[in-house]
Amino acid sequence: LQKSLNETFGADKYSEARKEVLTNMFSRPMQMALYFCTGVLEDETLFRHYALNVPFYTHFTSPIRRYADIIVHRLLSASLGASSPIKMEKEAIQRQADHCNDRKMASKRVQELSTDLFFAIFVRVRA
């Protein structure tokens, strides 16, 4: 797909913008990753990462960026014995995960609407 996009859009001053917008639009149907507490899910197949083909996976970035990452860091630290256990019930952790998922979905929707607006303006100007 990437090779096709590179060949299709040429080298004019708008080629990168066209490629970026369409690449974004192509990736929308992909399932978005969700935060969840493993203690509330019994089906361990839900823990796997499809693209990486690993049975157990967790993702986090720098804990200064997102609250979900702070929780993951703390849980991993406690599970490795590097810190004391978190004093939260698994249902409370799942509520936090649900809230983070809701915020992430809202943010994604705003980003998509912004991209749609940019693309509509781009097409209108170029028509």
Side-chain angles (χ1 to χ4, degrees):
L1 180 62
Q2 190 66 37
K3 184 179 178 195
S4 296
L5 287 174
N6 287 337
E7 292 172 358
T8 302
F9 293 115
D12 68 342
K13 67 180 182 176
Y14 296 110
S15 63
E16 276 300 312
R18 284 192 299 270
K19 185 172 65 172
E20 191 171 324
V21 168
L22 287 174
T23 299
N24 182 284
M25 292 171 107
F26 291 148
S27 66
R28 280 188 193 171
M30 297 171 76
Q31 183 178 0
M32 197 164 94
L34 296 174
Y35 296 109
F36 61 90
C37 177
T38 58
V40 300
L41 297 179
E42 293 182 20
D43 183 2
E44 287 189 1
T45 63
L46 297 173
F47 303 174
R48 79 175 292 105
H49 190 288
Y50 176 78
L52 296 176
N53 194 27
V54 292
F56 299 103
Y57 178 81
T58 190
H59 171 81
F60 58 89
T61 60
S62 169
I64 63 169
R65 293 188 53 214
R66 295 182 298 212
Y67 183 65
D69 297 323
I70 293 170
I71 291 178
V72 171
H73 274 252
R74 289 177 182 169
L75 289 168
L76 284 173
S77 178
S79 71
L80 295 171
S83 64
S84 56
I86 292 180
K87 294 179 173 126
M88 286 177 74
E89 297 293 323
K90 60 186 174 186
E91 293 79 14
I93 294 171
Q94 184 58 50
R95 282 193 302 276
Q96 291 294 325
D98 290 339
H99 178 74
C100 290
N101 290 331
D102 290 343
R103 297 295 86 216
K104 188 165 70 165
M105 289 294 281
S107 173
K108 184 175 192 285
R109 183 69 183 134
V110 169
Q111 180 181 10
E112 289 172 352
L113 290 170
S114 173
T115 300
D116 291 346
L117 178 62
F118 169 80
F119 189 65
I121 292 169
F122 178 80
V123 169
R124 179 182 235 170
V125 168
R126 301 303 302 159

